[in-house]
Amino acid sequence: MTALTVWRYDTPFGAEAAAVRLKRLEERKVLTVHDAITIAWMPQAQEPVIGHLKHPTAASAGKGSVLGGLVGMLVLAPVAGAALGAGVASVSARLRKSGIDEEFVEELGAQLTPGSSALLVLSSDGDLDEVRPAMERELQRGDVVLLHAELSADAPAAIVEAMDELRRDESPPGA
């Protein structure tokens, strides 16, 4: 089964260490990574810096990183008041076919804040019971939040389709 796991840290540099742990897990064949990105958001920055660790699914889809697109949809969504709810609802509606529900989108959007970092991993064949021990120290310290969603088999294609819909909706008429 395909899964989306988010390792969110309280500092802008925590995701870099998580990327090293992810590589070790992949080398041990604990999971198969299809797409992985880091997000580092410096405290005073207007938006985060997104780093692509691995995204072969993007090549097969002919688009940019699936997870980069997901984060782009969330970062581009409005960030205040009623507009935030409308933005989350819009992104959630676009992702319905992927298996990512509105609650997950809301939580992910709430977690991506200035001063934090995150590692997003689209994987399969993973065993959360095997992955979790790699993060126990951080979980015990309380400086990481782990989000996990089981996705539909066609989740990467559904996310790409949602990105395409968003681009079409944002394009000026006649473009």
Coordinates of all heavy atoms in Angstrom, one line a residue, residues 94-135:
R94 N -9.6 18.6 -4.4 CA -8.8 18.2 -5.5 C -8.0 16.8 -5.2 O -7.7 16.1 -6.2 CB -7.8 19.2 -5.8 CG -8.4 20.5 -6.4 CD -7.3 21.6 -6.5 NE -7.8 22.9 -6.6 CZ -8.4 23.4 -7.8 NH1 -8.5 22.6 -8.8 NH2 -8.9 24.6 -7.8
L95 N -7.8 16.6 -4.0 CA -7.0 15.4 -3.6 C -7.9 14.2 -3.2 O -7.4 13.1 -2.9 CB -6.1 15.7 -2.4 CG -5.0 16.7 -2.8 CD1 -4.2 17.1 -1.5 CD2 -4.0 16.1 -3.8
R96 N -9.2 14.3 -3.3 CA -10.1 13.3 -2.9 C -9.8 11.9 -3.5 O -9.8 10.9 -2.7 CB -11.5 13.7 -3.3 CG -12.6 12.8 -2.6 CD -14.0 13.3 -2.8 NE -14.1 14.6 -2.2 CZ -14.5 15.7 -2.8 NH1 -14.9 15.7 -4.0 NH2 -14.6 16.9 -2.1
K97 N -9.4 11.8 -4.7 CA -9.1 10.5 -5.4 C -7.8 9.9 -4.8 O -7.6 8.7 -5.0 CB -8.9 10.7 -6.9 CG -10.2 11.1 -7.6 CD -9.9 11.2 -9.1 CE -11.0 12.0 -9.8 NZ -10.6 12.3 -11.1
S98 N -7.0 10.7 -4.2 CA -5.7 10.2 -3.7 C -5.8 9.4 -2.4 O -4.9 8.6 -2.0 CB -4.7 11.3 -3.5 OG -5.0 12.1 -2.4
G99 N -6.9 9.7 -1.6 CA -7.0 9.1 -0.3 C -6.5 10.0 0.8 O -6.5 9.7 2.0
I100 N -6.0 11.2 0.4 CA -5.6 12.2 1.4 C -6.9 13.0 1.8 O -7.5 13.6 1.0 CB -4.6 13.2 0.9 CG1 -3.3 12.4 0.5 CG2 -4.2 14.2 1.9 CD1 -2.3 13.2 -0.3
D101 N -7.3 12.9 3.1 CA -8.6 13.5 3.5 C -8.3 14.9 4.0 O -7.2 15.4 4.1 CB -9.3 12.7 4.5 CG -8.5 12.5 5.8 OD1 -7.6 13.3 6.1 OD2 -8.9 11.6 6.6
E102 N -9.5 15.6 4.2 CA -9.4 17.1 4.6 C -8.7 17.2 5.9 O -7.9 18.2 6.1 CB -10.8 17.7 4.6 CG -10.8 19.2 4.8 CD -12.1 19.8 4.6 OE1 -13.0 19.2 4.0 OE2 -12.2 21.0 5.0
E103 N -8.9 16.3 6.8 CA -8.2 16.4 8.2 C -6.7 16.4 8.0 O -6.0 17.1 8.7 CB -8.7 15.3 9.1 CG -8.2 15.4 10.5 CD -8.7 14.2 11.3 OE1 -9.9 13.9 11.2 OE2 -7.9 13.7 12.1
F104 N -6.2 15.5 7.2 CA -4.8 15.4 6.9 C -4.3 16.7 6.3 O -3.2 17.2 6.7 CB -4.5 14.2 6.1 CG -3.0 13.9 6.0 CD1 -2.4 13.0 6.9 CD2 -2.2 14.4 5.0 CE1 -1.0 12.8 6.8 CE2 -0.8 14.1 4.9 CZ -0.2 13.3 5.8
V105 N -5.0 17.2 5.3 CA -4.6 18.4 4.6 C -4.5 19.6 5.6 O -3.6 20.4 5.6 CB -5.5 18.7 3.4 CG1 -5.2 20.1 2.9 CG2 -5.3 17.7 2.4
E106 N -5.5 19.7 6.5 CA -5.6 20.7 7.5 C -4.4 20.6 8.4 O -3.7 21.6 8.7 CB -6.9 20.7 8.3 CG -8.1 21.2 7.6 CD -9.3 21.0 8.4 OE1 -9.3 20.4 9.5 OE2 -10.4 21.5 7.9
E107 N -4.1 19.4 8.9 CA -3.0 19.2 9.8 C -1.7 19.5 9.2 O -0.8 20.2 9.8 CB -3.0 17.8 10.4 CG -2.0 17.5 11.4 CD -2.2 18.3 12.7 OE1 -3.3 18.8 13.0 OE2 -1.1 18.5 13.4
L108 N -1.5 19.0 7.9 CA -0.2 19.3 7.2 C 0.0 20.8 7.0 O 1.0 21.3 7.3 CB -0.2 18.6 5.9 CG 1.0 18.7 5.0 CD1 2.3 18.3 5.8 CD2 0.9 18.0 3.7
G109 N -1.1 21.5 6.6 CA -1.0 22.9 6.4 C -0.7 23.6 7.7 O 0.1 24.6 7.7
A110 N -1.3 23.2 8.8 CA -1.0 23.8 10.1 C 0.4 23.6 10.6 O 1.0 24.4 11.3 CB -2.0 23.3 11.2
Q111 N 1.0 22.4 10.2 CA 2.3 22.1 10.6 C 3.4 22.8 9.8 O 4.6 23.0 10.3 CB 2.6 20.6 10.5 CG 1.7 19.8 11.5 CD 2.1 20.0 12.9 OE1 3.2 20.3 13.3 NE2 1.1 19.8 13.8
L112 N 3.2 23.2 8.6 CA 4.2 23.9 7.8 C 4.2 25.4 8.1 O 3.5 26.2 7.5 CB 3.8 23.7 6.3 CG 3.8 22.2 5.8 CD1 3.4 22.2 4.3 CD2 5.2 21.6 6.0
T113 N 5.0 25.7 9.1 CA 5.0 27.1 9.6 C 6.5 27.6 9.6 O 7.4 26.8 9.7 CB 4.5 27.1 11.0 OG1 5.2 26.3 11.8 CG2 3.0 26.7 11.0
P114 N 6.6 28.9 9.6 CA 8.0 29.5 9.7 C 8.7 29.0 10.9 O 8.1 28.9 12.0 CB 7.7 31.0 9.7 CG 6.4 31.2 9.0 CD 5.6 30.0 9.4
G115 N 10.0 28.7 10.8 CA 10.8 28.2 11.9 C 10.8 26.7 12.0 O 11.4 26.1 12.9
S116 N 10.1 26.0 11.1 CA 10.0 24.5 11.2 C 10.6 23.9 9.9 O 11.0 24.6 9.0 CB 8.5 24.1 11.3 OG 7.8 24.3 10.1
S117 N 10.7 22.6 9.9 CA 11.1 21.8 8.7 C 10.3 20.5 8.7 O 9.7 20.1 9.7 CB 12.6 21.6 8.7 OG 12.9 20.7 9.8
A118 N 10.3 19.9 7.6 CA 9.5 18.6 7.4 C 10.2 17.8 6.3 O 10.8 18.3 5.4 CB 8.1 18.9 7.1
L119 N 10.0 16.5 6.5 CA 10.4 15.5 5.5 C 9.1 14.8 5.1 O 8.4 14.3 5.9 CB 11.4 14.5 6.0 CG 11.7 13.3 5.2 CD1 12.4 13.7 3.9 CD2 12.5 12.3 5.9
L120 N 8.7 14.9 3.8 CA 7.6 14.3 3.3 C 8.0 13.1 2.5 O 8.9 13.2 1.6 CB 6.7 15.2 2.4 CG 5.8 16.2 3.2 CD1 6.6 17.3 3.8 CD2 4.8 16.7 2.3
V121 N 7.4 11.9 2.7 CA 7.8 10.7 2.0 C 6.6 10.0 1.5 O 5.7 9.7 2.2 CB 8.6 9.7 3.0 CG1 9.0 8.5 2.3 CG2 9.7 10.5 3.7
L122 N 6.7 9.7 0.2 CA 5.7 8.9 -0.5 C 6.3 7.5 -0.6 O 7.4 7.4 -1.3 CB 5.3 9.5 -1.8 CG 4.1 8.9 -2.6 CD1 2.8 9.0 -1.8 CD2 4.0 9.6 -3.9
S123 N 5.8 6.5 0.0 CA 6.4 5.2 0.0 C 5.4 4.1 -0.1 O 4.2 4.3 0.1 CB 7.3 5.1 1.3 OG 6.4 5.1 2.4
S124 N 6.0 2.9 -0.2 CA 5.2 1.7 -0.2 C 6.0 0.6 0.5 O 7.2 0.8 0.7 CB 4.7 1.2 -1.6 OG 5.9 0.9 -2.4
D125 N 5.4 -0.5 0.8 CA 6.0 -1.6 1.4 C 6.6 -1.3 2.7 O 7.5 -2.0 3.2 CB 7.1 -2.2 0.5 CG 6.6 -2.5 -0.9 OD1 5.5 -3.0 -1.0 OD2 7.4 -2.3 -1.9
G126 N 6.1 -0.2 3.3 CA 6.7 0.2 4.6 C 6.0 -0.4 5.8 O 4.8 -0.7 5.7
D127 N 6.7 -0.5 6.9 CA 6.1 -1.0 8.1 C 6.3 0.1 9.1 O 7.5 0.3 9.6 CB 6.8 -2.3 8.5 CG 6.3 -2.9 9.8 OD1 5.5 -2.2 10.5 OD2 6.7 -4.0 10.1
L128 N 5.3 0.8 9.5 CA 5.4 1.9 10.5 C 6.0 1.4 11.8 O 6.7 2.2 12.4 CB 4.0 2.5 10.7 CG 3.9 3.9 11.3 CD1 4.8 4.9 10.5 CD2 2.5 4.4 11.5
D129 N 5.8 0.2 12.1 CA 6.4 -0.3 13.4 C 7.9 -0.4 13.2 O 8.7 -0.4 14.2 CB 5.8 -1.7 13.7 CG 4.4 -1.6 14.2 OD1 4.0 -0.6 14.7 OD2 3.7 -2.6 14.0
E130 N 8.4 -0.6 12.0 CA 9.9 -0.6 11.8 C 10.4 0.8 11.6 O 11.6 1.1 12.0 CB 10.2 -1.4 10.5 CG 10.0 -2.8 10.6 CD 11.1 -3.5 11.3 OE1 12.3 -3.1 11.3 OE2 10.8 -4.5 12.0
V131 N 9.6 1.7 11.1 CA 10.0 3.1 10.9 C 10.1 3.9 12.2 O 11.0 4.6 12.5 CB 9.1 3.8 9.8 CG1 9.5 5.3 9.8 CG2 9.2 3.2 8.5
R132 N 9.1 3.6 13.0 CA 8.9 4.4 14.2 C 10.2 4.3 15.1 O 10.6 5.4 15.7 CB 7.7 3.9 15.0 CG 7.3 4.9 16.1 CD 5.9 4.5 16.6 NE 5.4 5.5 17.5 CZ 4.8 6.6 17.2 NH1 4.5 6.8 16.0 NH2 4.4 7.4 18.2
P133 N 10.8 3.2 15.3 CA 12.0 3.1 16.2 C 13.1 4.1 15.7 O 13.9 4.6 16.5 CB 12.5 1.7 16.2 CG 11.2 0.9 15.8 CD 10.4 1.8 14.9
A134 N 13.2 4.4 14.4 CA 14.2 5.3 13.9 C 13.9 6.7 14.4 O 14.8 7.5 14.4 CB 14.2 5.2 12.4
M135 N 12.7 6.9 14.9 CA 12.4 8.3 15.4 C 12.1 8.4 16.9 O 11.8 9.4 17.4 CB 11.1 8.8 14.6 CG 11.3 8.8 13.1 SD 9.9 9.6 12.4 CE 10.0 11.2 13.2

